[in-house]
Amino acid sequence: MAYLKPFLNYTALDFDKYHRNAFKNASEKTHTGFLQSLKRIEKIFENKIENLNLTFIKDPKDLFLKLIQSSYAENTNLTTFTHMLKLLKIIDAPLQDYNNFQSVLNYHSSKREDKNEALMSEKMQFLPEHETLKNIIENKINSLNNPSFLEMKQLLIVAIMVLAPTLKISSYIRFKIPMNSNHANSNIIIEEDDHYRLITNDLNLRINNMKLNGLLKKWINEYNPSNFLFIGSESSMRGMNCKDFRVAVSSATKSLFDFELNNNELKHIYMKYLLSLDPDLKQTIILSNILGYKNTNKMDTLKLVLD
């Protein structure tokens, strides 16, 4: 592995600079994630990167075994391994070495996908019906009486996931409220004829539930001083991040339903409801895209549950 020789004395920060130079247009989050994975490797191998002689990228199976044996979560292990694959790319590793890493990653990613689908099928047997949640939310909206900021925020977070197609958390936190006509054309929520519309680069979703439209109008006009659709506190001018929104979903569902549901579970519930309407293939593909799935496999899995 002669190609490794120029990099044997590189520190984690050296590779971080190399990565930043190779991917100049990547986000700060991407760069930070890469560096964190290198720091993780140092903890697992109990030594600094510059002292490891890059042994951790010589055998992909051995590396993945060490990741599994660590205390890190499965998703974290896959992320770390993916970043080591990226490291091979930026140091111009031979195609065979790169493909060996890719094969190990594909194998373990496939195993995780199979496990997740099995868990989803089992979980769907016990999740509440969409109609049940819809009735609870609409009754809460009907009985609103001078709610606090927290009550409004919790109700809206759950309502927008139950009374409209459930999107990914990363989509919700990006939505902004245009303050004038000179605004971006994506990641915005706009009002048209008493209906709100959620717009991203690949989504243009009209809110048809009038109770949700009314709730959005009240939230935007009376409770939210910022141009972000979702904020953490009543005086905040900044949008929520993924972690805060995830926690808010759990606490909001606990408050409204007396049991916690997360974004994925709400998405599965909505998807099960949509499938009960027996969509054709074209509609299934469209729905999969709206719900944030890469293909229709998740929909097919749920269809088996329904059948």
mmCIF file of all heavy atoms in Angstrom, residues 4 35 44 48 71 90 98 118 122 125-126 166 172 208 241 244 247 285 290 296:
data_model
loop_
_atom_site.group_PDB
_atom_site.id
_atom_site.type_symbol
_atom_site.label_atom_id
_atom_site.label_comp_id
_atom_site.label_asym_id
_atom_site.label_seq_id
_atom_site.Cartn_x
_atom_site.Cartn_y
_atom_site.Cartn_z
ATOM 1 N N LEU A 4 -0.252 4.949 0.668
ATOM 2 C CA LEU A 4 -0.480 5.466 2.023
ATOM 3 C C LEU A 4 0.725 6.247 2.557
ATOM 4 O O LEU A 4 0.580 7.056 3.485
ATOM 5 C CB LEU A 4 -0.783 4.310 2.982
ATOM 6 C CG LEU A 4 -2.069 3.503 2.743
ATOM 7 C CD1 LEU A 4 -2.169 2.385 3.763
ATOM 8 C CD2 LEU A 4 -3.292 4.406 2.815
ATOM 9 N N LEU A 35 -14.306 15.051 10.653
ATOM 10 C CA LEU A 35 -13.304 15.169 11.724
ATOM 11 C C LEU A 35 -13.735 14.374 12.959
ATOM 12 O O LEU A 35 -12.904 13.705 13.597
ATOM 13 C CB LEU A 35 -13.092 16.641 12.082
ATOM 14 C CG LEU A 35 -12.079 16.926 13.211
ATOM 15 C CD1 LEU A 35 -10.712 16.363 12.862
ATOM 16 C CD2 LEU A 35 -11.988 18.428 13.475
ATOM 17 N N ILE A 44 -11.303 4.516 19.535
ATOM 18 C CA ILE A 44 -11.463 3.066 19.384
ATOM 19 C C ILE A 44 -10.104 2.366 19.369
ATOM 20 O O ILE A 44 -9.916 1.317 19.991
ATOM 21 C CB ILE A 44 -12.250 2.752 18.091
ATOM 22 C CG1 ILE A 44 -13.706 3.203 18.250
ATOM 23 C CG2 ILE A 44 -12.191 1.260 17.752
ATOM 24 C CD1 ILE A 44 -14.515 3.141 16.974
ATOM 25 N N LYS A 48 -3.403 8.211 18.618
ATOM 26 C CA LYS A 48 -3.594 9.303 17.683
ATOM 27 C C LYS A 48 -3.495 8.788 16.247
ATOM 28 O O LYS A 48 -2.774 7.820 15.969
ATOM 29 C CB LYS A 48 -2.551 10.404 17.910
ATOM 30 C CG LYS A 48 -2.688 11.125 19.244
ATOM 31 C CD LYS A 48 -3.940 11.982 19.253
ATOM 32 C CE LYS A 48 -4.056 12.809 20.519
ATOM 33 N NZ LYS A 48 -5.297 13.624 20.526
ATOM 34 N N SER A 71 -18.570 1.115 21.865
ATOM 35 C CA SER A 71 -19.803 1.494 22.571
ATOM 36 C C SER A 71 -20.690 2.421 21.738
ATOM 37 O O SER A 71 -21.715 2.890 22.215
ATOM 38 C CB SER A 71 -19.456 2.180 23.896
ATOM 39 O OG SER A 71 -18.661 3.334 23.655
ATOM 40 N N ILE A 90 -10.229 10.561 -0.965
ATOM 41 C CA ILE A 90 -9.461 11.809 -1.074
ATOM 42 C C ILE A 90 -7.948 11.569 -1.115
ATOM 43 O O ILE A 90 -7.211 12.431 -1.577
ATOM 44 C CB ILE A 90 -9.808 12.812 0.061
ATOM 45 C CG1 ILE A 90 -9.405 12.273 1.432
ATOM 46 C CG2 ILE A 90 -11.282 13.163 0.024
ATOM 47 C CD1 ILE A 90 -9.629 13.275 2.559
ATOM 48 N N TYR A 98 -10.811 0.627 -2.563
ATOM 49 C CA TYR A 98 -12.061 1.386 -2.377
ATOM 50 C C TYR A 98 -13.272 0.464 -2.492
ATOM 51 O O TYR A 98 -14.197 0.525 -1.675
ATOM 52 C CB TYR A 98 -12.131 2.504 -3.416
ATOM 53 C CG TYR A 98 -13.310 3.436 -3.233
ATOM 54 C CD1 TYR A 98 -13.215 4.551 -2.403
ATOM 55 C CD2 TYR A 98 -14.517 3.200 -3.892
ATOM 56 C CE1 TYR A 98 -14.287 5.413 -2.231
ATOM 57 C CE2 TYR A 98 -15.594 4.058 -3.720
ATOM 58 C CZ TYR A 98 -15.482 5.153 -2.895
ATOM 59 O OH TYR A 98 -16.551 5.995 -2.724
ATOM 60 N N ALA A 118 -38.132 -5.155 9.319
ATOM 61 C CA ALA A 118 -38.776 -6.154 10.186
ATOM 62 C C ALA A 118 -39.349 -5.484 11.433
ATOM 63 O O ALA A 118 -40.471 -5.797 11.856
ATOM 64 C CB ALA A 118 -37.758 -7.229 10.577
ATOM 65 N N GLU A 122 -43.379 -5.076 12.564
ATOM 66 C CA GLU A 122 -43.859 -5.473 13.887
ATOM 67 C C GLU A 122 -44.492 -4.292 14.622
ATOM 68 O O GLU A 122 -45.554 -4.411 15.230
ATOM 69 C CB GLU A 122 -42.689 -6.034 14.697
ATOM 70 C CG GLU A 122 -43.081 -6.527 16.084
ATOM 71 C CD GLU A 122 -41.900 -7.096 16.848
ATOM 72 O OE1 GLU A 122 -40.821 -7.278 16.245
ATOM 73 O OE2 GLU A 122 -42.057 -7.346 18.056
ATOM 74 N N GLN A 125 -48.143 -3.061 13.846
ATOM 75 C CA GLN A 125 -49.268 -3.798 14.403
ATOM 76 C C GLN A 125 -49.811 -3.131 15.672
ATOM 77 O O GLN A 125 -50.956 -3.367 16.063
ATOM 78 C CB GLN A 125 -48.838 -5.242 14.733
ATOM 79 C CG GLN A 125 -48.221 -6.002 13.574
ATOM 80 C CD GLN A 125 -49.221 -6.342 12.491
ATOM 81 O OE1 GLN A 125 -50.430 -6.275 12.703
ATOM 82 N NE2 GLN A 125 -48.730 -6.697 11.316
ATOM 83 N N PHE A 126 -48.973 -2.300 16.307
ATOM 84 C CA PHE A 126 -49.346 -1.743 17.610
ATOM 85 C C PHE A 126 -49.503 -0.222 17.612
ATOM 86 O O PHE A 126 -49.958 0.346 18.602
ATOM 87 C CB PHE A 126 -48.289 -2.137 18.657
ATOM 88 C CG PHE A 126 -48.086 -3.618 18.774
ATOM 89 C CD1 PHE A 126 -47.020 -4.237 18.145
ATOM 90 C CD2 PHE A 126 -48.980 -4.405 19.481
ATOM 91 C CE1 PHE A 126 -46.832 -5.609 18.234
ATOM 92 C CE2 PHE A 126 -48.806 -5.779 19.570
ATOM 93 C CZ PHE A 126 -47.733 -6.379 18.952
ATOM 94 N N THR A 166 -46.748 13.558 6.517
ATOM 95 C CA THR A 166 -45.634 13.717 7.447
ATOM 96 C C THR A 166 -44.315 13.805 6.685
ATOM 97 O O THR A 166 -43.952 12.885 5.953
ATOM 98 C CB THR A 166 -45.584 12.535 8.434
ATOM 99 O OG1 THR A 166 -46.892 12.276 8.922
ATOM 100 C CG2 THR A 166 -44.653 12.836 9.590
ATOM 101 N N TYR A 172 -39.027 20.253 8.059
ATOM 102 C CA TYR A 172 -39.788 21.177 8.911
ATOM 103 C C TYR A 172 -38.932 22.333 9.429
ATOM 104 O O TYR A 172 -39.373 23.482 9.457
ATOM 105 C CB TYR A 172 -40.396 20.428 10.094
ATOM 106 C CG TYR A 172 -41.521 19.495 9.733
ATOM 107 C CD1 TYR A 172 -41.419 18.131 9.976
ATOM 108 C CD2 TYR A 172 -42.695 19.966 9.144
ATOM 109 C CE1 TYR A 172 -42.454 17.263 9.645
ATOM 110 C CE2 TYR A 172 -43.735 19.106 8.813
ATOM 111 C CZ TYR A 172 -43.604 17.751 9.063
ATOM 112 O OH TYR A 172 -44.616 16.897 8.728
ATOM 113 N N ASN A 208 -54.686 20.994 2.877
ATOM 114 C CA ASN A 208 -56.127 20.960 2.599
ATOM 115 C C ASN A 208 -56.994 20.952 3.854
ATOM 116 O O ASN A 208 -58.163 21.336 3.795
ATOM 117 C CB ASN A 208 -56.471 19.734 1.744
ATOM 118 C CG ASN A 208 -55.941 19.862 0.327
ATOM 119 O OD1 ASN A 208 -56.018 20.926 -0.270
ATOM 120 N ND2 ASN A 208 -55.368 18.788 -0.203
ATOM 121 N N ASN A 241 -33.346 23.425 15.759
ATOM 122 C CA ASN A 241 -32.481 22.464 15.085
ATOM 123 C C ASN A 241 -33.116 21.071 15.155
ATOM 124 O O ASN A 241 -34.150 20.883 15.800
ATOM 125 C CB ASN A 241 -31.061 22.465 15.672
ATOM 126 C CG ASN A 241 -31.042 22.122 17.163
ATOM 127 O OD1 ASN A 241 -31.830 21.307 17.640
ATOM 128 N ND2 ASN A 241 -30.137 22.748 17.905
ATOM 129 N N ASP A 244 -33.580 19.583 18.801
ATOM 130 C CA ASP A 244 -34.641 20.250 19.564
ATOM 131 C C ASP A 244 -36.023 19.864 19.030
ATOM 132 O O ASP A 244 -36.958 19.656 19.796
ATOM 133 C CB ASP A 244 -34.470 21.771 19.503
ATOM 134 C CG ASP A 244 -33.266 22.244 20.283
ATOM 135 O OD1 ASP A 244 -32.790 21.490 21.139
ATOM 136 O OD2 ASP A 244 -32.784 23.360 20.009
ATOM 137 N N VAL A 247 -36.947 16.280 20.082
ATOM 138 C CA VAL A 247 -37.379 16.259 21.486
ATOM 139 C C VAL A 247 -38.783 16.852 21.613
ATOM 140 O O VAL A 247 -39.625 16.343 22.357
ATOM 141 C CB VAL A 247 -36.376 17.043 22.371
ATOM 142 C CG1 VAL A 247 -36.922 17.224 23.781
ATOM 143 C CG2 VAL A 247 -35.035 16.315 22.412
ATOM 144 N N ILE A 285 -45.394 6.055 -5.823
ATOM 145 C CA ILE A 285 -44.080 6.679 -6.029
ATOM 146 C C ILE A 285 -44.102 8.133 -5.565
ATOM 147 O O ILE A 285 -43.190 8.597 -4.873
ATOM 148 C CB ILE A 285 -43.675 6.594 -7.517
ATOM 149 C CG1 ILE A 285 -43.421 5.129 -7.904
ATOM 150 C CG2 ILE A 285 -42.438 7.438 -7.792
ATOM 151 C CD1 ILE A 285 -43.226 4.915 -9.383
ATOM 152 N N ILE A 290 -42.850 12.279 -1.237
ATOM 153 C CA ILE A 290 -43.332 13.276 -0.285
ATOM 154 C C ILE A 290 -42.928 12.909 1.141
ATOM 155 O O ILE A 290 -42.499 13.753 1.933
ATOM 156 C CB ILE A 290 -44.865 13.422 -0.375
ATOM 157 C CG1 ILE A 290 -45.253 14.103 -1.698
ATOM 158 C CG2 ILE A 290 -45.412 14.239 0.807
ATOM 159 C CD1 ILE A 290 -46.742 14.172 -1.934
ATOM 160 N N THR A 296 -39.871 2.844 -3.154
ATOM 161 C CA THR A 296 -41.186 2.413 -2.652
ATOM 162 C C THR A 296 -41.095 1.199 -1.737
ATOM 163 O O THR A 296 -42.122 0.643 -1.358
ATOM 164 C CB THR A 296 -42.119 2.077 -3.833
ATOM 165 O OG1 THR A 296 -41.544 1.006 -4.593
ATOM 166 C CG2 THR A 296 -42.320 3.290 -4.731
#
